[in-house]
Amino acid sequence: MAIGVCRLDLTELAVLRGHAADLPAVARSGGVALPPTGRVAVSASALVLSVRPERWLLLTSPAAAGAGAAAWSERCAGLAAVIDHSSGLAALHLAGPSAREALARGCRLDLAMDAFPPGHAAATSMAQVATILAALPSGLLILTPASTARHLHEWLMGAARPFGLAPLAEITVSTFFGHNDP
Amino acid sequence: MPGPARIGRGLLTDGDRPVGFRFDGRELTALAGDTLASALLANGRRLVGRSFKYHRPRGVVTAGPGEPCALVDVIGSAGREPNQLATTLVLREGLVAESQNRWPSLSVDALAINDLLSRFLPAGFYYKTFMSPGWAWERLYEPLIRRAAGLGRLVAPAVEHPAPAETVHDHADVLVVGAGVAGLAAAHRLGACGLKVLLADQDVTLGAGALLEARAIAWREQMAAALARLPTVRWLPSTTVLGAYGHGVFGALETLSPEAEARFGGLRERLRVIRAKRVILATGAPERLIAFPGNDVPGVMLAGAALGYLRRYGVAVGTRPALFVNNDEAYEALFALHGAGVRPAGVIDPRPQSLAMERARSLGVEVHAGAVVASVAGRRAVRGVSVANVGGGHRATLRADCLLMSGGHTPSTALAAQLGAPLKWQEAIAAFTADLAPAVGSVAGAARGVFGLAAAARDGDAAARAIATDLGRAVNSAIAIDLPADPAATPLAELWEVSAPGKAFVDLQNDVTTADVRLAYREGYEHLDHMKRYTTHGMATDQGRTGGLTGAAVLAKARGVPVSRVGALKPRPFAQPVPFAALAGGEVGEHFKPKRRLPLHDWHEAAGATFVRAGLWLRPLVYSGSSGWEPVLAEARAVRSAVGITDVSTLGKIDVQGPDAAKFLDFVYANTFSTLAVGRARYGLMLREDGLVFDDGTTARLAPEHFLVTTTTVNSVAVLEHLEFHLQTVCRELDVLVTDVGDHWAQFAVAGPRSREVLERVVTGVPLSNEAFPFMAAGAATIAGVAGRLFRISFSGELAYEVAVPARHALEVWSALIAAGKPLGIRPYGLDALNTLRIEKGHVTGAELNGNTTADDLGMGRMLKASGDHIGRSLARRAGLLAPDRLQLVGVRPVDATRRLRNGTQLVAASARSTSLGYVTSSTPSAELPGWVGLALVAGGRARIGERLLGVSPVHAETTDIEVVSPHHADAGNTRVRA
Amino acid sequence: MLRIPCPHCGERDETEFRYRGDAGKARPAGDADIAAFATYVYERDNPLGWHVEWWMHVAGCRKLLKLVRHTLSHEIHAVLAPDAEPPFPPREQGR
Amino acid sequence: MVIVGGGGHGLATAYYLATRHGITDVAVVEKGAIGLGNVGRNTTFIRSNYFHPDNIRFYEFSLQLWENLERSLNFNAMVSQRGTLNLFHTEAQRDLFARRANQMRLLGVDAEALGRDAVKALVPLIDLDNGRYPVLGGFLQPRGGTVRHDAVAWGYARGASEAGVDIIEDCEVTGITRSGARVTGVETTRGSIGAETVCLAVAGHSSRLASMAGVTLPIETHVLQAFVTEAVKPVLDVVLTYGPSHFYVSQSDKGGLVYGGALDGYNTYGQRGTLPMAEELAACAVTLMPGLARLKVLRQWGGVMDMTMDGSPLITQTPVDGLILNGGWCYGGFKAIPAGGVTTAHLIAHGSSHPLAAHLGLGRFAAGRTVDERGVGPFPWTH
């Protein structure tokens, strides 16, 4: 299996009271669709996932500091709080047939393909660290707080070793854009 | 065939692969697939250990995980591992094992004198003896007892790195515990229905009882092949389900095969945490002993064990076995040995007649019906048995070299009981069984008293069908799982003990005898739990698996009640002793807790920082490898005299947005935030609802409906939860969103009289003059080209700014600040210097915000808002929290400036040296003043400013004259921060 | 170990949640007296039986849940939104 | 009078009522068999190292009673003063322990500061530099130690019984009767018993019993787990505590390591253990003492603790006249048995608090005089 480090920007949209119905249209104007809680949606320029009710994480290619969040802030003014997590969360990508088996060494969720198929997303903790998992056709994307990213990465390397580990690669998140859910 | 007692092919041994091992220094050879027990028996070794209390010679009693006696120390790369079960320890080339609890050697054990002294060492002897003279318990008896304690000896390995370990999380529709016939049938049925099944069994192979009876071998092979074809069934061999934890959660210990061990880098076991919608407990019914004099002599073992050694390993446990049983099932051992050419010495059975007895007679075996074993000849090995009539009276003496016993079978009810199932007494098998509620699962096969292989298979299938239906699966009735019909059997006759002179054991490992149980009863310990605690019955590593119920029956008899009235002991996890390493998993040592690292961790490391572990964080303490205060004071003085820079990214940062954000902050803080102007920051104090201080920090208003709250490092998680909790309960009507942004922002304090000059060189877009950007100003700024935020706040007491930028730009901004400050003498400072600076300034941290202080105690009583509700408002007004003698924050200094202060020093009046008036919370050598300065909490402290007290630290043998002063040692007028 | 069916995330191990105490109590009005607040903050019904209580899904959706849980059997009868009234009392079960 | 609860505190209270106050018209009623509640399922530590001077005095009194217990009871409770060693791994912890030890010494109680070398010499198994939370030193109370828990219940029961107290087993209290604001007796599964004074000493069941008299307590019931390993030859000669996970451990005379940690974190009456706690504590054990890796854990169990809102106990009158409470012991009840018995007996006999237990009344909460050793506030699951 292969563990890749992803460079990406993350912007969170959190709906203000009474505006849940308005946000999807605004999101569409920004080129993304908002999936329901527990799901990932892919558009031409972003992955959007939701693991908290009425909150979405937009994953886009890296830009200047805060630029993505600033654009969304303008778009969503009065409808949603917009929070930049680009530096707050680190992203790893796991590919290969053993990835889910390796993750079962620390993940308490059922990651079997039928229980967590591509298109699903979940927040949980793994190796004592907060994580957000997204199942993509290419593998699993893991978001984790920047301060514990090294801990999680070290842990993942250890868990993956018995399954064979490909050299570390840097992956751009745009690789995943445009691949629709199966 | 290595070993004189190996008389045929075993199902599990490979006759072509000899394996060498060493026991008590002797080189021996056995076969691949052997356990240490089968290997020793194959080599004719009977004596394998000494008992706990009496040091009596002991041999192998079982062929599985319930073994009470055959415990050994294994010596290898993992050190000396005590109490390994020879009966489950799979032999590997070069294994080194030693017997335990004997000195100087197994055959000559000096402490065996305890056996002769045993008249003076009955159960409970500790409580009544060893009392005189008064000093003797602690100085003489207890040390002696402790030296004699334990069985094996633990010696840690001399390796530096912990062995690999891991915990695996499993999910299934149904967990089937036990891969005997009932479990196999159940797993097969469930798998055929498409359900996800985990089939866990402690054995290395499938089959259990089916392995032991020749007529079931073909069925077992068919079953194994069928299961292998079912994609949703996963068999976990060598996996013991340790405990049932409710809500479908089970813990299991998997012991890896040598092949798997190699693949996983030397991993020996893994802990499995299994979650299943339903469970089928097909855990079988272990055989139990009979308590008769000499039932512990090496060579006395359970009948089923002898059968196991023959079938599994091709080992005959003796050349002339006698059988002492009360049930027909146990005769299978005799028939099998007979079939393999071993001539039995005879059968002793308390029943007047039975079908199995008839069959034994027909094979020409001498059968003593209506008889019991009254004694065993031999000490280190069985030489013969003395047979008596059930009603008493000697009947015969048999020459035998082993004695196979069976007092019946006791269903394994531990897991069911842990799931809350009540126990029911079953007269037919003289044992308890338990049933599960359908929503939990079911018990199947021998575990619920259904004996006979065909009957157990049908039972397992029925349980599986019911569960499959319950889980909404169609059941295909075309699948047949039938076994050859079970032979007819005569029911057992209850037989727990034989009354005859001599020690008859109910707990072989803890050396508990029937006499001990009766003594406990006579002493008043008639409750089963009391008897257990008094005698230690059932408390050994085997948890009373072979004799637990027997002991209860002996107690019942003493009390004159049926066994069912005495009940059973509460079975607690674990079903099998679990190595710490396996329970601990991989997150140990360095990885015991995650390390939170600063965005600039590598920079700090390269700069020579010594790190301190602050909760999960690693923070630079001082940029020096050497201890002592000099490097710290050099850093602090740089801040006081020029400029310093420190990484404060560990502070909690919470984004608060929404129309009601200000209103919300007014409620969660004890002071007001709605009046804060955009572009300004304010120090805030949060209380708990009980009125005591919870946390403090600076909060900035970035926009009318957008605030940034900062928290202390240590409370960042708790404060976020506190805010979220109140937003979802008491403040439910408020439209506010709070979001953790702690890791997104790297934050640096640039502090010192020349800090403005540094900032002016890197900040664009914000004029930094005192008028344009005064103390407590806050706002967006571009720092070294990076969009970030700037706050004019100060923890050090100097003119200072905090710079916040997205963490991925931390290095470029930090580097730019250092480069800009270089001509001004900037230097990085660590937590120690930060602490020095804040103590001098009288700022509080966790040492003062200790959960027992009020705002007023800390000198901040005036901050509390006069009107309006807030958390903690009401209870802060309780009399006890307003009392004038409360501990209040003050400054302290040694009167003699050459003396040091020490945290935790108690403060007393010279006139009343045993009455604490308070204590030193924080202290440091001062960067600004001569000598040490400190903060303290002192009773009525503010009124004592100017007084002298004694600082006493008896644990350091120190007494110091202390002057109570204002907590603001430096810049009491607070002019620097506004410069 | 509890498995708590989070309405937003599905069934999760108890280790993902933080217990926040008795949910059967309401904070007194801000101007209530000390005695009322002392009762609110310190006294607990602490029943052996069904208990309405707060759990926050800190490792998941971070939502606060109101559970109706049996304090002996640990059976979870209901998982509700914070403002929902618990369906109380559920059927009693044996001790 | 009736004492509800045949555990350590109930039996000790009965014993001291009879032997110190001559009150023998006492019935101890126990719903099951005596000594099988918390007194029979705890980890048996005794010590008097506390922060609050009032707590130090109270627990020191208890420790001194332990030291003379076998003499007074003529029953060997196997008091073993092998020392209690609190390790610290941060400077903040060191400061707290120093403050506590100094306060103890002011009151004449033994306490010593140990450096790393001394810690290592005392406990060779410790890996001082374990990587995650290196041990910086320790504080030792040499007179701390362990007691054989079952013997305590049995010894007090025997002593009380010999002094004339009735101990009634298999007798569950189903109601507390009142006449106005006064207690008049108890109803039990074996009939009614009239009494002028009813003392509750039922640990985790305090709330349940008090509610029968219409009293609501500042108590939640939580489980504390404990574990024991297989018996091995001596490897640990002191009672040891280590901050992360609140891990504590000692080796019993029989050879098993007895250990435990923090509360599970939610209220429960279920006396059982959980898997996450077993994993957490094992990880802590192996981190602190890697040499334990191959030692095997035998059993886990749980006891239900009467956790108060400030972590300190209650020896108190209640709003109902004649109803006395000995409870709220949190997980510290075992070590307090002798002092709890003496001071509760005093309260019953004199109608006023024993001077050493005056700070343990119910009124402290509303008055704002809580005795919160750790400063965590009214969140009992965090105490």
Side-chain angles (χ1 to χ4, degrees), chain B residues 797-872:
Chain B
E798 296 299 325
L799 170 68
Y801 297 82
E802 287 191 12
V803 165
V805 292
R808 68 169 58 152
H809 299 290
L811 185 58
E812 57 194 275
V813 173
W814 174 272
S815 302
L817 287 164
I818 292 208
K822 197 139 208 175
L824 307 169
I826 198 168
R827 60 187 293 172
Y829 61 103
L831 196 57
D832 262 350
L834 186 67
N835 204 37
T836 295
L837 295 164
R838 71 95 191 168
I839 293 170
E840 288 181 332
K841 180 65 186 166
H843 283 158
V844 292
T845 60
E848 293 81 25
L849 299 173
N850 62 13
N852 275 313
T853 45
T854 66
D856 187 63
D857 295 343
L858 300 173
M860 294 188 274
R862 277 173 313 203
M863 277 177 61
L864 305 191
K865 49 181 156 270
S867 63
D869 192 12
H870 65 83
I871 294 171

Side-chain angles (χ1 to χ4, degrees), chain D residues 166-191:
Chain D
D166 290 320
I167 298 170
I168 309 169
E169 296 185 271
D170 297 316
C171 178
E172 182 174 0
V173 170
T174 54
I176 295 175
T177 53
R178 286 167 53 167
S179 167
R182 244 219 98 70
V183 76
T184 56
V186 295
E187 285 164 3
T188 77
T189 48
R190 299 174 70 170

Side-chain angles (χ1 to χ4, degrees), chain B residues 265-330:
Chain B
L267 183 73
R268 298 201 17 208
E269 312 96 351
R270 63 167 66 96
L271 183 71
R272 288 187 175 273
V273 183
I274 299 168
R275 299 150 187 88
K277 296 190 182 101
R278 298 284 188 281
V279 65
I280 292 181
L281 299 176
T283 44
E287 205 163 27
R288 62 196 180 219
L289 54 72
I290 301 169
F292 56 92
N295 66 344
D296 67 326
V297 176
V300 179
M301 67 167 63
L302 294 172
L307 178 60
Y309 286 114
L310 182 66
R311 291 256 189 251
R312 294 164 67 104
Y313 313 104
V315 171
V317 298
T319 55
R320 203 171 156 72
L323 188 75
F324 176 28
V325 301
N326 66 343
N327 62 87
D328 278 10
E329 288 81 8

Side-chain angles (χ1 to χ4, degrees), chain B residues 653-695:
Chain B
K653 301 164 212 97
I654 301 169
D655 181 278
V656 180
Q657 296 192 46
D660 298 320
K663 204 171 164 188
F664 177 60
L665 294 181
D666 277 352
F667 179 70
V668 296
Y669 275 113
N671 51 328
T672 309
F673 278 86
S674 51
T675 55
L676 184 66
V678 172
R680 302 285 294 178
R682 182 171 285 170
Y683 176 77
L685 206 55
M686 281 186 195
L687 307 186
R688 299 189 306 233
E689 194 68 276
D690 65 1
L692 295 161
V693 176
F694 172 38
D695 198 55

Side-chain angles (χ1 to χ4, degrees), chain D residues 5-16 30 34-40 66 149 152-154 156-157 201 326 333-334 336-338 340-341:
Chain D
H9 283 274
L11 294 168
T13 298
Y15 171 78
Y16 292 116
E30 165 57 49
I34 60 157
L36 296 183
N38 289 353
V39 68
W66 282 121
H149 54 357
V152 174
W154 299 340
Y156 275 117
N326 165 316
F334 179 75
I337 285 171

Side-chain angles (χ1 to χ4, degrees), chain B residues 19 106 128 156 268 325 368 529 566 706 729 823 917 947:
Chain B
V19 173
L106 183 55
K128 290 176 297 185
R268 298 201 17 208
V325 301
H368 295 275
D529 245 301
V566 166
H706 189 184
T729 53
L917 295 173
E947 281 183 24

